[in-house]
Amino acid sequence: MSLAVLRRHVLRSFAALATAVPLFRPGNSLPGSAAPLMGAPPASTTPTSEPGDAARHALRQSLKASVSEGIVAEVFTACAGATVLTAWALALKLGPFLVGVMTALPFFAQFVQFPAAWLTSSFGYRRVALTAVCLSRQVMLPLCVLPWLPLGLEGQQRLLVGVAAVSAVLGVIGNNAWVAWMGELVPESIRGRFFGRRTALCTLGGTLTSLVAGVLMDKLRPPEGVGLGLPLLAALACVAGVVTTALMARQHDPAPDREKAKLDFQVALLPLKDERARRVLVYQVAWNAAVGISAPFYSFHMLKNLKMSFLTMALYLAAVAGMRMLTATVWGRLIDRLGAQPVLLACSLGIGFIPAIWLFPTATFLWPLLADVVLAGVLWGGHGLAAFALPLSVAPRRGRPFYLAAFSTAGGLAYAAASALGGGLASLLPTEFVLGGHLWVNLHVLFVLSSVARVAAAFLAMRIIEPDAKPVCSLGALFSLVGSRLQARAAQVPSPAQALAEPQSANAES
């Protein structure tokens, strides 16, 4: 494969990774979990489509600032993301129930999607994005001084959960406005290239800052209590929030005088009247609930039961992200050729068995996590691309933002409810128990339940109807389709002798 072809495939994979809706914030770069332009207008009518010299200069400056903002946003995430919040929860002795509730808050906050869409349209994309994103990153200020506040342990726990809740709600509002703003700002002709480069740089920045944060927490984390490390990370998160706000302020609004939207709840009900959309909604509710039962507790399990350091956790997450990026090209090509529904079905079935892997690692035997790195990285990458490509194909142009908001809201609420339920169940179970001559912990029960529920939810993907595609409605049809594609692919791959002969023949012709 030539360098030009390789570069094209890599850029295409990054562009594909940048086509999913960011659930939490601007700068979100986890592969397959963020797609800045799903909520963008289907066709841009803003002045950025054919800019003049002044507009072109303003666009270039805005795009440079957006890339810088995304990289700095990774510093905020490394200092105030799910892993650090789990460390706060352990330091303040939060039980599994409160850990599940706190880590599910960003998903539960999806219920404000529709009000956020109206707020964004009423007061302007740029204004709402700047205000909400800035506030969502400055609510971490109380955590900077939490150990020195005149609060007991229970009061500190409530403050932590309250900060996480406010940040989650403001993050959804700010992200909704940012998605719409970027859809107006970035011309359609360069969206793939721009967000591909931005995603790559953000991913690199996120990996490096996560490693640094892991080392910092390992060095400054005391055996008991909060210590200095966590407040220091909270302070760094606030500083990063100020910098990101300044960088966002350097980006202009290409259509400041757009028409304000009216609050119409009838439009929000359109997805419920569409048969295709209902099937996607049913799958997303079942799938997110199955994932939410156990998902918030993996970091908790790694820190408390597997005794992993923060640096080891950061390396694990970086390896998973790397696998997702390496396989993005393959999944993107499969989705183009087979459709999103078969890929979604195949990845959902495979992901159903991943929680079972977590039954085997112990504090002195972490090697099974290598299998998780490979399977989670590969399958979640394909699932993320298919799960976000499918709603786009199902949602019509008219009312598309409300369809996408409905999918996000339904999936987020299901995830949040399941997380709270999983945390409550873990609290009722004994922390450790012996079964079949083996020692188990309460979270192992959640992993088993999640595995069974994921496999069951995967079969709902068979009912999804994808427009302009041939859905796979049975496992036999799925295996047959994949097998035929692999055979066709193998037939197209030249033998080593042919591969060596082709360049020679090309040189002879030239």
Side-chain angles (χ1 to χ4, degrees):
M1 181 180 292
S2 67
L3 182 60
V5 174
L6 178 62
R7 187 186 298 113
R8 185 172 69 251
H9 285 317
V10 171
L11 290 177
R12 185 181 301 169
S13 70
F14 284 137
L17 291 177
T19 56
V21 177
L23 288 177
F24 311 124
R25 57 171 181 78
N28 193 348
S29 63
L30 287 179
S33 71
L37 300 177
M38 265 177 82
S44 177
T45 58
T46 64
T48 57
S49 57
E50 293 184 2
D53 292 339
R56 189 178 295 112
H57 176 74
L59 176 61
R60 282 198 298 265
Q61 296 301 317
S62 295
L63 297 185
K64 290 180 181 178
S66 178
V67 172
S68 300
E69 182 273 327
I71 296 173
V72 179
E74 295 298 334
V75 178
F76 173 85
T77 302
C79 298
T83 301
V84 177
L85 287 179
T86 303
W88 275 101
L90 288 173
L92 296 180
K93 297 180 170 46
L94 264 69
F97 175 73
L98 286 179
V99 171
V101 170
M102 187 178 67
T103 53
L105 285 172
F107 294 89
F108 187 74
Q110 297 300 314
F111 78 93
V112 301
Q113 280 279 359
F114 290 108
W118 169 79
L119 192 67
T120 294
S121 300
S122 298
F123 294 95
Y125 303 161
R126 184 177 183 273
R127 182 184 303 174
V128 174
L130 282 171
T131 303
V133 171
C134 178
L135 293 177
S136 71
R137 292 169 179 171
Q138 295 309 309
V139 294
M140 305 297 295
L141 279 172
L143 299 184
C144 301
V145 294
L146 186 143
W148 301 279
L149 293 177
L151 296 174
L153 180 61
E154 185 176 352
Q156 292 179 339
Q157 293 174 344
R158 291 178 178 177
L159 179 60
L160 175 64
V161 175
V163 166
V166 174
S167 178
V169 172
L170 289 172
V172 170
I173 296 174
N175 184 77
N176 185 286
W178 182 80
V179 167
W181 182 13
M182 291 297 102
E184 296 279 1
L185 176 64
V186 184
E188 187 174 359
S189 59
I190 64 169
R191 284 178 183 174
R193 285 176 291 163
F194 170 71
F195 282 105
R197 183 168 62 94
R198 186 180 190 273
T199 299
L201 293 174
C202 288
T203 303
L204 178 61
T207 301
L208 295 177
T209 52
S210 295
L211 293 174
V212 173
V215 172
L216 184 62
M217 284 191 288
D218 285 336
K219 295 294 184 182
L220 300 180
R221 180 190 179 197
E224 293 289 337
V226 174
L228 294 176
L230 293 176
L232 178 60
L233 288 178
L236 292 175
C238 293
V239 173
V242 172
V243 176
T244 57
T245 303
L247 290 170
M248 290 179 68
R250 297 179 60 184
Q251 303 168 45
H252 75 289
D253 188 349
D257 299 324
R258 65 180 61 86
E259 182 180 358
K260 294 182 179 180
K262 297 180 180 180
L263 186 60
D264 186 359
F265 292 102
Q266 294 298 323
V267 181
L269 300 178
L270 286 176
L272 300 179
K273 301 176 182 179
D274 189 327
E275 175 65 21
R276 292 174 176 175
R278 283 204 304 269
R279 294 190 180 194
V280 176
L281 279 172
V282 170
Y283 165 80
Q284 287 200 333
V285 168
W287 178 257
N288 281 23
V291 173
I293 293 175
S294 63
F297 305 102
Y298 288 102
S299 296
F300 188 84
H301 182 62
M302 286 188 282
L303 289 171
K304 184 175 182 181
N305 299 320
L306 301 184
K307 310 300 181 183
M308 292 172 62
S309 67
F310 287 101
L311 178 59
T312 305
M313 287 181 60
L315 290 171
Y316 160 80
L317 295 174
V320 173
M323 290 299 301
R324 294 175 78 165
M325 294 182 66
L326 287 175
T327 56
T329 302
V330 177
W331 287 122
R333 292 164 63 184
L334 282 175
I335 291 174
D336 289 340
R337 297 179 180 181
L338 305 181
Q341 190 260 355
V343 172
L344 184 73
L345 173 59
C347 291
S348 298
L349 287 171
I351 291 171
F353 296 98
I354 289 179
I357 297 175
W358 288 80
L359 301 178
F360 302 101
T362 64
T364 57
F365 184 66
L366 298 176
W367 291 108
L369 292 184
L370 291 177
D372 177 83
V373 166
V374 176
L375 291 178
V378 172
L379 294 176
W380 273 115
H383 186 278
L385 293 175
F388 287 117
L390 192 61
L392 277 179
S393 62
V394 170
R397 290 177 61 135
R398 179 180 179 272
R400 175 172 291 175
F402 291 94
Y403 275 74
L404 300 178
F407 295 145
S408 297
T409 302
L413 293 181
Y415 181 99
S419 298
L421 179 63
L425 179 60
S427 299
L428 296 176
L429 294 171
T431 304
E432 295 181 348
F433 60 93
V434 178
L435 180 64
H438 296 278
L439 181 66
W440 307 92
V441 298
N442 52 356
L443 297 183
H444 284 148
V445 177
L446 301 187
F447 299 156
V448 172
L449 291 176
S450 180
S451 183
V452 174
R454 292 183 193 193
V455 173
F459 285 93
L460 292 175
M462 295 181 182
R463 301 180 63 250
I464 295 176
I465 300 175
E466 184 180 1
D468 303 324
K470 187 177 181 181
V472 175
C473 301
S474 67
L475 292 180
L478 175 64
F479 296 143
S480 176
L481 181 62
V482 173
S484 63
R485 291 294 179 178
L486 289 176
Q487 292 177 359
R489 180 66 176 171
Q492 295 175 358
V493 176
S495 64
Q498 291 174 327
L500 291 174
E502 285 179 358
Q504 295 176 0
S505 60
N507 292 334
E509 291 176 359
S510 60

